[in-house]
Amino acid sequence: MKKLLYLFLLFVFLLSTRAQILKRENFQAKIKRFTHTLPDMSQAEKFLTDSTLVPDGISDVWGPQPQGIVDENCPWLHVIVPMYEESDINSVRKAKIARLKYKRRFYFELSQDPSFKSNVYRSGPKRWSFYNPYRHLEKGKWYWKYGVADPDTPDKPVWNDEVYCFEITGKEFMVPIPPTPEEFVNTIISRPAPTYTLLWEEYGKLLPTETWPEMVDFAVPWYEKKYQSDNPMSFTVNDQTAIDAGYVDAQGNITAKPLFYTQKIRTLTGQLGRYISDLIAGYLLTGEIKYRDRAIQKSRDADEFIRNASFRINHLDTTFYIVDRENGYSMNQFIDICPEGLTQAEIDTIVKQEYPGTWTPPEDFESAEHSIYDQHLWQEIQNKFKRPMMFARYHEEAREELKYAYELWLFRAPSLGRNDGGSLEGDGYMGVHDNYLGAIPWMLYKTMGYNNFAASRWFQNMGKYLTYINPFGGAGSGYCDGDGGGATMPYSIETMAHLVPDNYWNLWRFKTIPRQAANKFTSDLGKGDKAYTLLSLWNYMPLPDTTGLEAPKELAALFRDIGEVGMHTDLGNVENNLQVTLHSSPYGSLMHTHPCQNAFNLAYGGQDLFWKTGFYNGGGWHNLLSYKCSRAHNTIMADGQVQGFHRTAYGWIPRFAHGDKISYAVGDASKAYNGKNRYQEGKDVSPILFDYKYGFGNPGVTKFRRHLVMLRPNHVLIYDELEAQNPITWEFRLHSRRWMTQLGEGWLMGTNDYAAASAKMFCKEPITTTLRHKYMPNEEDGIDPEKDLKPEDMWLLRPSDDEDKLPDPIPEHYHGAFTTTGKYAKMRFLTVIEIHPGKDTTFVPETEPVATGTDMITVQAGDYTIIAQMNGEEPAYLEIKNKDNTAALVTGTAAQSITLGNETKTAKLPGSTLLMEKGTYKGDIFIETTDTIPDMLIYGNKY
């Protein structure tokens, strides 16, 4: 009997042990999945195989986080628990969302004890699905789980069966612990209004009479003039409005469409609000009551007008009502700015309108915390603070909502990228975020003493990112919407320079960006919070000292998580600076970021030279086929196909090495040509988006590695490795928004106001060179593009200026291409670009670069000798060495060693990149680097 009992117990033990082993194996499998099946780390070259690297929308690609290793202490716990089943019909989904959204309760438990019996951090009930214990965690493994309670039983969570685990190694970034949400809310409601950006005691003390007297001299009379103008809160729109705007044909018939009147009404309504904002700014700046009282009265007048105004448009036989487009003028801001100026009835009405007494979710709840990025949400994130801060003293739900906004900010902000200071939607729209990136951290510091800038590695790197990718006076980055110079971020940068003056990049950026002109600064007071932030800041902190601050000695930098590299020749003088950037983003392309993996842009003197082309407001066809399309960027077209415009059409930057003379990076866009396009997923989709002859297909690309090298002072080298499943044509595209000419076969030149640049293409197989710059007629010329133009020409349609935002006349853009005449499964391109400073359109290079050899060719580029393997069937190899033996680079799968002078270094791992330089400002350097996976794919943290 004892023997049987022993055998039974042994069986139970083995069964239990097997269960634990399976659980560990399952956990390891999950960790592997969450790190996206990372490649064999023993190889120099690594290839990402996932079809997507980031969740699309709010899909649960990564699962509950964190798991595995983390890189900050303390990390946030985060889960996604759907409110409905995928099989539910729409009516059922809507009913479940209405019952559950913001009404469920989430519970978290965190402990080093996997049984959760000792030393457990417990969240208690939370309406949102992320949690932080507001403590630094000890080294070791940490286990966590979560439960969800139904709104009907909020104190009875149903716990998820799975236990998750992450590890604290002691090497993590120690995030300064912020005040708890309860402490934050109590601080806000314990103070008199206002509380956001400005405090009550600052009213009338914001004029910078000592810091900036020129601004005072401009602003005081400017606001007085605004007050004296006493603008009426009304306007008229009729047929004459269209006539005055020129919407009349030769016969005198009015041609304006309903959209014209809608936009006109919106503009004029906005002007009413702008006048009120200016009066409010006058009150905040000077403290004079007359501005406050007039602003309140004008708000009452505007509200009445908007609710009752109508406009008869005879030629359209219709009547426009403003109330159809606007809900009246909101007086909510006065609840915080000056509640004493409102009647009690107005206060009660405003509070009741905002918080009617039922628990309703904040706008964007259940998406803000889950989405990788939501451009409009984060552009307006300050309103998620403002609204509940205004009403927290009046309503419990506002206090709860304020806790949510506060924790959302700590968890996700600024949501533009992970840690490297860049914007995943590109720099063209980064300036929009200048309104809050300084204002919210300053508000947190001023009210609670918490320095948000010091607590975020993204903020610590923002000045560095802007310096290398978007230097002041430069052309921007060019990989996104927005055609002008990049965002300077003057308000946020100055705020950061004050709050973290020991950060070199904050001070350097602050030093290189001039303050806004007095009139612009004064105008900005009526547009948001950024200018108020600086007026407030100057009353608390001295001006940062930038005396003796020198330009960065490092002339290149990598931002791996965003997927961009910036290379320069002179960061201290923009007019002498050659700038080259490379883009290959693991986030793919969506929203404002274009499909342009492995694209490069080149500028000289702060002005674009070889650059992306097209116009942001150029109409639907232009947007689809050219502007937001990889054919308009300096990258590769494969078999006539463009890159996917989608999260899943991604790239990444595996390598970067940098010296004084040579800067080097590799971009991998092997997954970018998947044929997917975000516009394919909407309603009323054009068949063109699925048509191979228009470029929207999958050409079967299996490898596209682009080696980009800056050879200082005036050469850029591009070495492309290209492979596909079947033989296809390959095309290297090169564009300019200014002027280009063809110098010969495989040889193009472009110019700007500061330099000329010639680009010479080398290829083992025959290529043809084309250069086009003439627009094709569009629909305004009475044609049907799909019927009257060849598919290969439609991308050259002249832009349509429907929004009256394009230059008149619309300038021509130049589009160069080097295309193989045959089809090949494997191909190599070598492109040598030489910059000729100070040259104009009459300049022609004295000599044409030539190559000796066939498979392994040698090319001379100034003082550099280049050796490159051009046979796609052979392992890739690129070697560069300068004449005086002070700089050399060897890279490619065939790389084994590097020799410079009498010194030879052998690679530890074949296929590594080897860089050697003598006599740099850091002394002699040797760098060996292999493919490195971005942090955003490794660490079990927030996105």
Side-chain angles (χ1 to χ4, degrees), residues 262-275:
T262 297
Q263 292 177 336
K264 190 67 176 178
I265 291 170
R266 184 178 295 120
T267 298
L268 294 173
T269 303
Q271 289 175 2
L272 301 183
R274 181 59 188 276
Y275 180 67

Side-chain angles (χ1 to χ4, degrees), residues 729-746:
T729 59
W730 300 93
E731 182 172 286
F732 180 109
R733 295 189 66 80
L734 188 68
H735 305 271
S736 175
R737 302 191 295 183
R738 299 184 181 278
W739 180 84
M740 289 176 68
T741 188
Q742 183 172 341
L743 300 174
E745 191 61 61

Side-chain angles (χ1 to χ4, degrees), residues 662 664 709 878-881 887-891 898 913-915:
I662 298 175
Y664 167 85
V709 194
L878 178 66
E879 177 184 323
I880 303 167
K881 189 178 296 184
L889 173 83
V890 174
T891 192
I898 187 171
T913 293
L914 307 173
L915 173 66

